[in-house]
Amino acid sequence: MTAIETRSLKRDSLFLSADVTLAEGSVPVRVKVRNLSDGGMMAEAAISVERGARLTIDLRNIGPIKGSVAWTQDNRFGIVFDDEIDSKKVREPASGGDKTPRYVRPSSIAPDSARQVDKSALRKI
């Protein structure tokens, strides 16, 4: 994709985190995703990257995506993906089961183990 083609894609402004791996076998770095489109994203982190550098981005509900650095400015940089993604999937709740802590779920969906027991069955101490 050229820079002109990338700019025509709709970008979502959002705030979420992703892991970026700069080189094969290196430790992933947590970045803030400032905006996201099907063709790329803007990230912010206290790391040094160079234009053209190859990297892998691990996005929620998408998984690892390969791409390259398109531009840099201070602690922000643009990434163009090798293959387009469905950026709407990243905004969806994280897949992989219900991760909501039980104490914030409505009681109507609490597990059976959290249901109230018959008070007459309780013993007074």
Side-chain angles (χ1 to χ4, degrees):
M1 255 188 187
T2 68
I4 294 169
E5 290 170 342
T6 304
R7 284 311 213 180
S8 68
L9 295 174
K10 183 179 179 310
R11 289 180 303 281
D12 288 332
S13 292
L14 63 144
F15 181 75
L16 62 93
S17 295
D19 290 327
V20 170
T21 306
L22 297 172
E24 196 67 35
S26 68
V27 177
V29 176
R30 181 63 50 120
V31 299
K32 295 174 186 173
V33 178
R34 293 300 186 182
N35 66 43
L36 179 70
S37 72
D38 290 353
M41 64 183 250
M42 178 173 64
E44 179 180 339
I47 59 173
S48 177
V49 295
E50 293 183 12
R51 188 170 184 253
R54 299 289 302 155
L55 42 72
T56 303
I57 309 97
D58 193 1
L59 289 171
R60 178 177 71 188
N61 296 331
I62 301 285
I65 315 279
K66 293 201 180 290
S68 58
V69 177
W71 58 267
T72 65
Q73 183 179 17
D74 300 323
N75 64 342
R76 293 183 181 203
F77 52 99
I79 299 170
V80 61
F81 302 141
D82 290 351
D83 299 308
E84 287 193 3
I85 63 166
D86 181 0
S87 58
K88 291 180 180 151
K89 288 179 77 174
V90 179
R91 284 190 172 270
E92 295 174 359
S95 58
D98 187 6
K99 305 271 187 204
T100 307
R102 189 169 76 195
Y103 59 86
V104 295
R105 284 189 239 156
S107 61
S108 61
I109 61 169
D112 290 336
S113 62
R115 304 261 185 242
Q116 291 292 327
V117 296
D118 181 16
K119 291 189 180 201
S120 63
L122 297 176
R123 185 178 75 159
K124 288 188 179 182
I125 298 178

